[in-house]
């Protein structure tokens, strides 16, 4: 099968990263979680006491050249680094989660992250998940999936995920947070969350993880063939 770029976009907690990880493993592709990159920048801002509302483009450039964000595969799993420090765990904290949408809305932050992401796509054979992969980062990606799920299903999944890590969380609080992040991510000026015209929709509200993965793998075969009537074929 020819190697392609699979762009996987969608709102928070729609199941993108788990699905993307499994798809990439089955296809022998590299998986890139771009949300993790924005989370790492958010952690950096917090540690350096940088206020997102006041930061200038020069400060962003300087901060990220002193402490670059990078991704490395450790034991087949993507890890995120700030400089030489592995921050993969820290970026999942509630305080980073609460602040990340504001940081991800800063144009100079996006410019730096998009540049890194595009460099990773030079070699095809990549599954990248985020909010703007099919619209901005790889507008020419061979396959674009827009993954959605109703907010209640997403809050329920996030609750189970956090409980599995031993954290107790209130469902209504999670639901409120998810809706708030959806709002911020889809109404920002720079690269808002939106479905690319040529993306296919995958509603995961009532699908199991295995079904989601199989759905994507199955369709990836058509996209890799590069058939001109690909959309008709798969719908
Ligand atoms: O997927 P996630 O929840 O880890 O993403 C964290 C935040 O980063 C999310 O609020 C939106 C933002 N993000 C973005 O703006 N663009 C991307 N390509 C990926 C994430």
């Amino acid at each position: 099968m020819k190697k392609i770029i699979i762009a996987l976009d969608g709102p928070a907690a729609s199941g993108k990263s788990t699905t993307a990880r499994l798809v990439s493993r089955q296809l022998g592709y590299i998986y890139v979680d771009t949300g993790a990159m924005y989370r790492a920048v958010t952690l950096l801002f917090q540690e350096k006491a940088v206020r997102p509302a006041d930061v200038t483009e020069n400060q962003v450039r300087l901060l990220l050249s002193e402490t670059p964000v990078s991704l490395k595969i450790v034991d087949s799993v993507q890890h995120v680094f700030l400089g030489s420090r592995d921050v993969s765990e820290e970026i999942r904290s509630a305080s980073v989660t609460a602040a990340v949408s504001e940081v991800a809305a800063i144009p100079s932050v996006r410019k730096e992250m998009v540049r890194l992401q595009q460099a990773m796509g030079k070699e095809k054979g990549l599954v990248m998940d985020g909010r703007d992969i099919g619209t901005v980062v790889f507008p020419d990606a061979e396959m674009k999936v827009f993954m959605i799920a109703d907010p209640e299903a997403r809050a329920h999944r996030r609750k189970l995920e956090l409980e599995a890590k031993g954290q107790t969380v209130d469902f209504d609080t999670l639901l409120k947070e998810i809706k708030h992040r959806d709002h911020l991510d889809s109404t920002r000026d720079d690269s808002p969350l939106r479905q690319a015209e040529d993306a296919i929709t995958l509603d995961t509200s009532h699908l199991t993880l295995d079904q989601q993965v199989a759905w994507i793998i199955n369709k990836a075969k058509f996209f890799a063939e590069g058939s001109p009537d690909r959309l008709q074929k798969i719908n």
Side-chain angles (χ1 to χ4, degrees):
M1 186 172 135
K2 192 186 102 191
K3 296 240 178 204
I4 60 171
I5 291 184
I6 302 178
L8 197 56
D9 290 304
S14 53
K16 296 184 302 294
S17 50
T18 317
T19 307
R21 193 173 307 120
L22 293 173
V23 167
S24 67
R25 204 171 291 160
Q26 282 199 29
L27 293 176
Y29 279 22
I30 290 171
Y31 163 54
V32 179
D33 171 2
T34 60
M37 300 169 74
Y38 291 97
R39 286 170 178 271
V41 179
T42 306
L43 180 65
L44 180 65
F45 276 27
Q46 290 179 340
E47 290 179 340
K48 303 272 182 193
V50 173
R51 295 210 332 221
D54 302 335
V55 75
T56 65
E57 186 166 351
N58 272 344
Q59 271 174 310
V60 168
R61 214 177 302 124
L62 190 66
L63 272 171
L64 291 173
S65 66
E66 280 169 3
T67 316
V69 172
S70 62
L71 301 176
K72 290 191 188 99
I73 307 294
V74 182
D75 295 334
S76 345
V77 179
Q78 178 198 279
H79 284 237
V80 193
F81 288 76
L82 270 181
S84 58
R85 184 161 61 104
D86 188 342
V87 294
S88 311
E89 284 294 317
E90 279 168 85
I91 59 161
R92 303 289 158 196
S93 73
S95 89
V96 169
T97 303
V100 64
S101 287
E102 194 185 358
V103 175
I106 301 170
S108 53
V109 170
R110 301 203 68 80
K111 202 165 127 193
E112 290 294 315
M113 294 304 111
V114 169
R115 194 175 53 76
L116 294 174
Q117 290 153 10
Q118 288 174 334
M120 291 179 223
K122 289 247 160 65
E123 302 279 318
K124 304 229 169 174
L126 188 81
V127 184
M128 189 173 275
D129 87 40
R131 305 293 189 283
D132 60 339
I133 311 306
T135 51
V136 175
V137 182
F138 294 121
D140 296 328
E142 289 85 351
M143 176 173 181
K144 299 179 186 178
V145 180
F146 197 74
M147 229 164 138
I148 54 169
D150 51 57
E152 287 73 16
R154 290 186 278 139
H156 181 64
R157 277 189 212 142
R158 192 44 56 98
K159 187 170 191 294
L160 293 180
E161 235 173 69
L162 293 170
E163 281 172 353
K165 288 188 197 163
Q167 299 173 28
T168 328
V169 278
D170 173 53
F171 176 83
D172 290 333
T173 310
L174 279 179
L175 185 61
K176 225 167 93 188
E177 277 170 14
I178 282 178
K179 286 183 174 171
H180 182 58
R181 279 219 282 153
D182 283 355
H183 175 72
L184 293 179
D185 294 343
S186 51
T187 56
R188 69 182 178 218
D189 291 335
D190 189 343
S191 322
L193 167 69
R194 70 176 173 80
Q195 179 159 2
E197 268 174 25
D198 51 352
I200 43 173
T201 310
L202 171 58
D203 185 343
T204 67
S205 305
H206 306 290
L207 294 182
T208 64
L209 186 56
D210 284 350
Q211 288 171 324
Q212 287 162 213
V213 173
W215 189 96
I216 294 181
I217 300 270
N218 196 18
K219 289 179 172 46
K221 291 177 187 149
F222 285 113
F223 285 99
E225 282 171 14
S227 164
D229 60 342
R230 61 185 195 175
L231 281 173
Q232 277 166 13
K233 233 168 152 182
I234 54 146
N235 278 328

